[in-house]
Amino acid sequence: MAKVQITQKRSTIKRPQTQIKTIQSLGLGKINKTVEVELTPQIAGMIRKVNHLITVKEL
């Protein structure tokens, strides 16, 4: 699987609880925090749910 770099760009304030939990599951939580993860179907689904809060870059 490919690795992707995920960076949180927007705040989770006033967002639904499910989006906050998804951000936390991705290892994010603060603006401009970046993580590198393997792109699995589960991670791809999480990215789709919060794509308006993050930026994704393939490595």
Side-chain angles (χ1 to χ4, degrees), residues 13-50:
I13 294 174
K14 291 196 175 181
R15 300 289 174 188
Q17 191 66 32
T18 55
Q19 291 179 11
I20 295 170
K21 294 287 187 183
T22 303
I23 288 287
Q24 291 172 350
S25 297
L26 287 169
L28 303 170
K30 293 187 177 185
I31 295 177
N32 288 327
K33 184 169 181 181
T34 301
V35 294
E36 291 181 9
V37 294
E38 291 290 328
L39 185 60
T40 63
Q42 294 84 3
I43 296 294
M46 290 184 203
I47 289 171
R48 274 195 303 275
K49 290 290 183 184
V50 293

